[in-house]
Amino acid sequence: MILKELKIDTWIGDPTNCYIVFDEDSLETMVIDPAGDVNKITEMINILNGKLKYIYLTHCHGDHIGGVNELKRKMGGKILIHRLDANGLNDSDINLTEYIGMENIELEADSIIDDKDLLHLGKLEFLVIHTPGHTQGGTALYCKQEGLLFSGDTMFRGTWGRTDLPTSSRVEIINSISKKLLKLPDETIVYPGHGKSTMIGDEKPIYLELKPKKL
């Protein structure tokens, strides 16, 4: 597997992490949260001779979906999002496009995903984990073979995602992390929607022992 990370500047000021996942044998490719800078994304896929299979959205917020339509027009691929966030793609009150100064986005998912669904890029297998809290339909994507997790805006290095937004819940996000994500192996590398990567084992004290992490 080849993994590329692009930091995409958005209207909120905190760059969104867009991930390009590439299977070297099949050339199948997945882009996670294409927030913008589509030319950079397509350039990277073309350098890898990739075939775009999935455009995976961890949740429906505008700072994660800004480049989806353009990317699909240029390279194809199926747009995937959890069923509870699908309607939010076209609702500015939920996706916050108006709030963060973006133009309204008209966007439809090609396929709906649910908890415990499996996605495949060649022989790579990814498990969908429903992680409500930041949004009601937020998800994380886990690859056991590679020991990595794409956590969206649920888990960050040293903290968790905002819970003061439409459809969000602090109780749910803590439950999603403590009851689902922290059950993964300690050595699992976590690639979040913003900021630096971390590891499951390094985040456990925050939730299980109520100790702040030294950043």
Side-chain angles (χ1 to χ4, degrees):
M1 188 189 86
I2 295 176
L3 173 62
K4 299 292 183 181
E5 176 184 334
L6 297 177
K7 298 245 180 226
I8 297 177
D9 291 326
T10 67
W11 293 263
I12 66 170
D14 184 16
T16 298
N17 295 334
C18 169
Y19 300 101
I20 302 171
V21 184
F22 175 77
D23 175 64
E24 297 167 276
D25 294 326
S26 66
L27 306 182
E28 290 183 340
T29 305
M30 173 169 57
V31 175
I32 300 172
D33 291 347
D37 284 348
V38 172
N39 286 340
K40 290 183 181 179
I41 298 172
T42 58
E43 180 182 12
M44 184 61 64
I45 295 173
N46 288 331
I47 288 172
L48 296 169
N49 291 318
K51 303 172 185 176
L52 185 56
K53 185 176 184 180
Y54 297 129
I55 300 172
Y56 187 94
L57 305 178
T58 60
H59 61 292
C60 66
H61 284 162
D63 60 319
H64 289 253
I65 66 175
V68 172
N69 281 329
E70 183 182 355
L71 179 59
K72 184 174 177 64
R73 283 197 304 270
K74 290 184 174 181
M75 306 211 75
K78 284 188 175 183
I79 301 169
L80 309 180
I81 195 168
H82 191 274
R83 64 177 60 254
L84 295 180
D85 263 22
N87 290 337
L89 292 174
N90 288 296
D91 187 338
S92 61
D93 290 333
I94 295 176
N95 64 36
L96 306 177
T97 50
E98 183 177 350
Y99 174 73
I100 61 178
M102 290 177 61
E103 293 183 2
N104 188 42
I105 296 175
E106 295 185 2
L107 177 60
E108 297 291 340
D110 293 304
S111 294
I112 298 301
I113 54 173
D114 282 307
D115 190 47
K116 299 182 181 179
D117 280 352
L118 297 175
L119 305 178
H120 295 90
L121 294 180
K123 294 181 180 179
L124 294 172
E125 183 174 86
F126 297 85
L127 173 68
V128 175
I129 304 174
H130 182 210
T131 53
H134 183 61
T135 64
Q136 63 181 351
T139 59
L141 200 56
Y142 173 58
C143 182
K144 182 178 180 180
Q145 296 153 280
E146 299 290 334
L148 56 82
L149 175 81
F150 300 102
S151 63
D153 283 6
T154 299
M155 175 188 282
F156 299 122
R157 185 175 186 266
T159 189
W160 55 86
R162 287 179 61 174
T163 58
D164 59 341
L165 303 171
T167 82
S168 68
S169 164
R170 181 169 181 175
V171 171
E172 285 193 332
I173 203 168
I174 296 302
N175 283 338
S176 291
I177 294 171
S178 61
K179 296 181 180 180
K180 294 183 177 182
L181 301 188
L182 295 188
K183 301 297 184 183
L184 300 175
D186 284 357
E187 62 272 16
T188 302
I189 302 173
V190 179
Y191 294 99
H194 305 274
K196 297 179 180 180
S197 62
T198 184
M199 298 184 75
I200 291 293
D202 290 339
E203 300 303 312
K204 280 188 173 180
I206 299 172
Y207 306 95
L208 303 185
E209 301 175 23
L210 301 180
K211 295 179 181 179
K213 176 179 178 180
K214 294 180 180 180
L215 298 177

